[in-house]
Amino acid sequence: MKYLLFFLGLGLLFVACQQDNTNSTSTPDEVDLKTALRGTWQTFQINVAVNTADGKDTFRTESLTQEVWEQGYGMEPPIYYFQADQKFRLVHRSVKGEIIDQRRGMWNTFGDTLVLIEPENTVQYIVRIGEGRATFRNFRDWDGDGAEDDEYQGLQRQISISTDEGE
């Protein structure tokens, strides 16, 4: 029964996430990811399927939208700046435009995989990209239970081909 609920919930999450992205992403073979990612990308939604939530044999989904960031956290959705020299910045701003948090590091791609390397952390995403939109997927420990078993999906929109803004 728990597996049926897991797959049902996971299926519902992906159906809901695909509404806006069905025709807007390309397969990795069609796009040079390193070239396509250069520029400025804003996260407009994050969806997470949390497995074994709160240390229990349960399943739940969470979704962060621009409204949740602004009203719940008093901040704008995060913005990635991918520079041609393969440096990146991830910037979180308050709704007033002040920088709250900023991370810097190096980025590279390998096929359909984006690797972000920061001084204290390395993260990999499987990326689908096309028509000014991208989906970053991976597994992570979203609920803090010590297991990287929560499926993360970050939906991005390209807001500029430049990375000059926000320095």
Side-chain angles (χ1 to χ4, degrees), residues 43 45-52 62 64 69 78 80 90 92 103 114 116 118 121-126 136-156:
T43 304
Q45 186 168 339
I46 292 176
N47 300 305
V48 182
V50 180
N51 296 296
T52 60
E62 295 181 16
L64 294 175
W69 273 299
Y80 286 91
L90 174 58
H92 293 81
R103 296 185 216 158
L114 167 65
L116 302 178
E118 300 173 32
N121 193 27
T122 298
V123 179
Q124 294 185 27
Y125 295 101
I126 301 299
F136 295 4
R137 292 181 190 251
N138 70 4
F139 283 91
R140 60 178 57 184
D141 182 13
W142 184 264
D143 59 357
D145 67 357
E148 290 188 0
D149 62 347
D150 306 317
E151 187 163 353
Y152 170 94
Q153 177 189 59
L155 306 175
Q156 320 294 325

Side-chain angles (χ1 to χ4, degrees), residues 25-160:
T25 57
S26 301
T27 61
D29 297 334
E30 298 172 5
V31 164
D32 175 18
L33 192 56
K34 191 174 290 184
T35 301
L37 277 174
R38 290 183 193 147
T40 304
W41 294 81
Q42 182 179 45
T43 304
F44 65 90
Q45 186 168 339
I46 292 176
N47 300 305
V48 182
V50 180
N51 296 296
T52 60
D54 304 318
K56 299 175 184 161
D57 192 16
T58 60
F59 175 81
R60 74 172 188 261
T61 59
E62 295 181 16
S63 184
L64 294 175
T65 62
Q66 185 166 350
E67 182 177 308
V68 171
W69 273 299
E70 290 174 356
Q71 294 178 2
Y73 301 104
M75 58 189 290
E76 297 174 355
I79 296 177
Y80 286 91
Y81 298 90
F82 293 107
Q83 297 172 230
D85 65 359
Q86 294 186 252
K87 293 180 182 175
F88 82 92
R89 288 180 297 128
L90 174 58
V91 178
H92 293 81
R93 288 187 173 83
S94 72
V95 290
K96 296 178 181 178
E98 302 159 337
I99 294 177
I100 297 171
D101 182 45
Q102 181 170 226
R103 296 185 216 158
R104 295 177 182 269
M106 301 295 294
W107 68 280
N108 205 348
T109 61
F110 303 94
D112 66 349
T113 303
L114 167 65
V115 179
L116 302 178
I117 303 167
E118 300 173 32
E120 302 291 326
N121 193 27
T122 298
V123 179
Q124 294 185 27
Y125 295 101
I126 301 299
V127 177
R128 297 281 186 199
I129 193 166
E131 299 179 22
R133 302 232 177 193
T135 303
F136 295 4
R137 292 181 190 251
N138 70 4
F139 283 91
R140 60 178 57 184
D141 182 13
W142 184 264
D143 59 357
D145 67 357
E148 290 188 0
D149 62 347
D150 306 317
E151 187 163 353
Y152 170 94
Q153 177 189 59
L155 306 175
Q156 320 294 325
R157 66 177 152 240
Q158 189 170 34
I159 57 176
S160 175

